[in-house]
Amino acid sequence: MAKLKLGPIVDDKPVKVTVELPAPLHRDLTRYAELLGREVGQPSADPVRLIVPMLERFMAMDRGFAKSKA
């Protein structure tokens, strides 16, 4: 199995955000949550809870964005 880029999801106080996702993206998020749960030995996380760490990781890895913050 491939090593996933996200680690365990930290339980933190949520902030409510409403967003519409295309059905295929939601299915992929659900599948990712299942795989992540298996990889870290936890129950599957709510797929919506993956959005924040994925966005954080994406922005952290974006060199152009990092340069704009410097």
Side-chain angles (χ1 to χ4, degrees):
M1 178 198 285
K3 178 80 172 141
L4 300 177
K5 296 193 182 272
L6 291 181
I9 305 299
V10 177
D11 189 17
D12 199 2
K13 183 178 177 181
V15 176
K16 185 161 180 114
V17 176
T18 302
V19 63
E20 286 187 31
L21 301 175
L25 178 57
H26 186 263
R27 285 191 295 271
D28 285 346
L29 278 173
T30 301
R31 178 73 177 136
Y32 197 104
E34 292 167 358
L35 292 170
L36 182 62
R38 276 191 239 142
E39 186 172 289
V40 299
Q42 297 177 349
S44 293
D46 177 356
V48 172
R49 297 204 52 219
L50 299 178
I51 295 170
V52 170
M54 285 179 161
L55 287 172
E56 288 173 339
R57 180 151 176 94
F58 174 82
M59 289 188 294
M61 302 304 288
D62 187 307
R63 292 181 188 156
F65 183 66
K67 286 180 185 177
S68 76
K69 290 173 56 176

